[in-house]
DNA sequence: GTAAAGCTTGACGCCACGTCAATGTCAAGC
DNA sequence: GCTTGACATTGACGTGGCGTCAAGCTTTAC
């Protein structure tokens, strides 16, 4: 199964021109090229594109992105590092929102503005060098160390656990059992453990995710129907959500 | 009180070159220019710069930003519109995180990727036209309508309420009363009502902010010391946080 | 069979600055 | 008073990541 250049552009929310540019500079070459000269992309290309766009949001230049991707072995463990960045971005946004709310309050109160507060959360580029360092030399220190410390056996074991968890969720929801019952709660527990194992997740180095984070993720499964497809559609996602929130209420 | 070009650049997290560029194109002219030719900026210039940078993050071009700012009357009510955008960005990020978590799970489970899920939350530019429209012609429909529908009297009334609320928070915290007591809870109630009045805030058109949002904001006051300065420093922010969380526990 | 839509390869354009270069100015220390 | 180093000025050129034509071939839809 492969896609035309336009199809992949729409999927990724970019343009065909950009994809051709990426081909030109050798950043993302199509899976195959038809006898007519058309570019066709496959699934691995999609994964690579997702990573390219993540790195672009990070502010990296295209050559730097190429370096990072080519020095890469495992896509998943690099994606974990991306997650960390994304979460920092969320915090930056949160601070920016707070800053604007603050400015509104001050302006409407007719008070003096405190310059330092006004721009909190704004500096988007400040870490640029640090970012280049991290993604260049440092080789994903945290995430990498974590993944590398596993033996090949442990790695496949980890993968199988994820896969099994997904299947078990679907099976449980299809059997129509009680999401607050023991069996579903055991699944929620496993889900919790899985999240804890992802570096960069809040609480991954300690007691595990916070209640808010855990519940928030569960809600997201339902809120976005396409996302819930992983758990066998809307109904499955709802089941997962119910089980997870019940678990959070009791244990977190 | 005014600042040199470098000082203001550091405050805003940008460069002096950018500020000179903004001066060149007439987007942000210094408050005054010394006899030596140096640029000096004052407080209104800072406010304008904050808004410029917000609009830049929106993806607007500099000429468009100039248009928007010059057509502007009230800074606060425009900032409210910005808030809405920022919150949408947060949601986009949340979806992007979910998407990446999803990809990790799928890759490690060795499952097939579903292309539509992979890029959820990525499209950053899709709304560009819509944004230009909104900030151009549409004249901040929601926020504007809300603000304009108020009489002059109501507007000053609103402003005074904000200002008074801030002062009351500080006074209460300095008196050392119990944050869970009736008096502090009344303040939390007023804070709640204020947030409800800000369009774009989750729940602003209904029952008011959700518990999570309310508590999250309270936590932020403490987490970032500079931000808490509005409430009379660390201690004041802690007091506000305690009162707000107690309020949320009981009423939300 | 024809039109509309999509693909190709160039090639030029462009915005928001980065990055020199050459020079003037301010504050601190000797 | 003189030097030094940080910071300011204007001017000009450079550039990254595409957008945007142009001219022509292919595929799809009717």
């Amino acid at each position: 199964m492969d896609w035309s250049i336009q199809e992949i552009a729409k999927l990724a929310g970019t343009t065909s021109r950009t994809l051709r540019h990426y081909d030109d500079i050798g950043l993302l070459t199509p899976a195959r090229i038809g006898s007519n000269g058309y570019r066709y992309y496959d699934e691995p290309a999609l994964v690579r594109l997702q990573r390219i766009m993540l790195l672009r949001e990070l502010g990296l230049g295209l050559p730097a992105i190429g370096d990072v991707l080519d020095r890469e072995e495992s896509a998943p463990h690099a994606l974990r590092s991306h997650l960390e960045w994304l979460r920092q971005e969320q915090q930056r946004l949160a601070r920016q929102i707070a800053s604007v709310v603050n400015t509104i309050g001050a302006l409407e109160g007719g008070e003096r503005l405190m310059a330092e507060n006004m721009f909190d959360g704004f500096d988007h580029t400040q870490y640029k060098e640090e970012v280049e360092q991290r993604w260049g030399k440092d080789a994903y220190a945290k995430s990498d160390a974590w993944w590398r410390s596993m033996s090949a056996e442990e790695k496949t074991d980890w993968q199988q656990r994820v896969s099994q968890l997904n299947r078990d969720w679907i099976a449980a929801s299809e059997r129509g059992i009680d999401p607050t019952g023991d069996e579903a709660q055991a699944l929620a527990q496993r889900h919790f453990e899985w999240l804890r194992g992802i570096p960069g997740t809040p609480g991954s180095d300690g007691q595990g995710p916070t209640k808010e984070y855990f519940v928030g993720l569960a809600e997201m499964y339902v809120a976005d129907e396409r996302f819930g497809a992983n758990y066998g559609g809307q109904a499955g996602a709802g089941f997962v959500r119910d089980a997870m929130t019940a678990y959070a209420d009791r244990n977190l």
Side-chain angles (χ1 to χ4, degrees), chain A:
Chain A
M1 175 76 186
D2 46 14
W3 299 277
S4 77
I5 194 170
Q6 195 100 293
E7 285 167 345
I8 208 182
K10 271 186 190 160
L11 274 173
T14 181
T15 68
S16 60
R17 175 66 178 86
T18 299
L19 293 176
R20 271 185 285 113
H21 184 56
Y22 290 170
D23 187 13
D24 287 348
I25 65 175
L27 181 58
L28 179 69
T29 50
R32 69 183 181 85
I33 297 192
S35 57
N36 45 18
Y38 282 27
R39 295 171 175 82
Y40 295 101
Y41 298 84
D42 61 357
E43 212 164 73
L46 261 177
V47 177
R48 189 173 170 99
L49 180 53
Q50 187 192 35
R51 303 213 41 227
I52 290 173
M53 297 189 65
L54 275 166
L55 288 164
R56 277 253 61 204
E57 279 213 11
L58 252 153
L60 286 190
L62 298 189
I65 292 178
D67 288 353
V68 169
L69 290 184
D70 291 342
R71 224 183 302 104
E72 202 63 49
E73 320 91 60
S74 155
H77 100 270
L79 284 173
R80 288 171 204 284
S81 292
H82 282 305
L83 274 182
E84 214 174 320
W85 167 267
L86 287 174
R87 293 194 172 109
Q88 278 185 22
E89 275 291 296
Q90 263 198 326
Q91 288 191 15
R92 211 200 84 227
L93 262 184
R95 292 174 62 194
Q96 196 167 341
I97 286 176
S99 175
V100 171
V101 168
N102 188 36
T103 301
I104 291 177
L107 283 176
E108 295 197 328
E111 293 161 27
R112 285 189 58 73
L113 294 168
M114 279 156 301
E116 309 106 44
N117 290 4
M118 278 185 58
F119 287 96
D120 194 21
F122 271 85
D123 198 343
H124 193 209
T125 58
Q126 170 176 69
Y127 309 99
K128 184 170 178 180
E129 251 187 67
E130 187 193 314
V131 164
E132 295 245 17
Q133 292 289 317
R134 278 200 40 174
W135 288 92
K137 288 196 315 188
D138 203 4
Y140 321 92
K142 230 164 138 184
S143 167
D144 204 49
W146 169 80
W147 182 252
R148 288 198 183 220
S149 69
M150 291 170 119
S151 69
E153 198 177 354
E154 283 171 328
K155 285 180 186 174
T156 60
D157 184 55
W158 167 269
Q159 292 179 347
Q160 289 195 345
R161 270 173 46 209
V162 178
S163 177
Q164 190 60 48
L165 177 58
N166 279 5
R167 279 197 296 275
D168 289 350
W169 271 125
I170 295 177
S173 101
E174 283 175 350
R175 279 169 44 217
I177 65 173
D178 176 15
T180 65
D182 285 351
E183 199 179 342
Q185 288 302 293
L187 285 173
Q189 167 84 22
R190 282 164 61 193
H191 205 103
F192 178 83
E193 299 291 350
W194 177 60
L195 285 174
R196 164 148 67 182
I198 299 184
T201 306
S204 65
D205 41 0
Q207 333 75 337
T210 66
K211 182 172 178 178
E212 284 77 18
Y213 179 79
F214 198 63
V215 172
L217 198 64
E219 292 293 347
M220 199 128 41
Y221 293 160
V222 181
D224 192 324
E225 65 214 5
R226 295 182 300 171
F227 183 68
N230 253 53
Y231 299 100
Q234 275 290 78
F239 177 80
V240 173
R241 193 259 323 262
D242 292 343
M244 282 172 70
T245 51
Y247 177 83
D249 274 341
R250 292 179 199 168
N251 307 310
L252 302 180

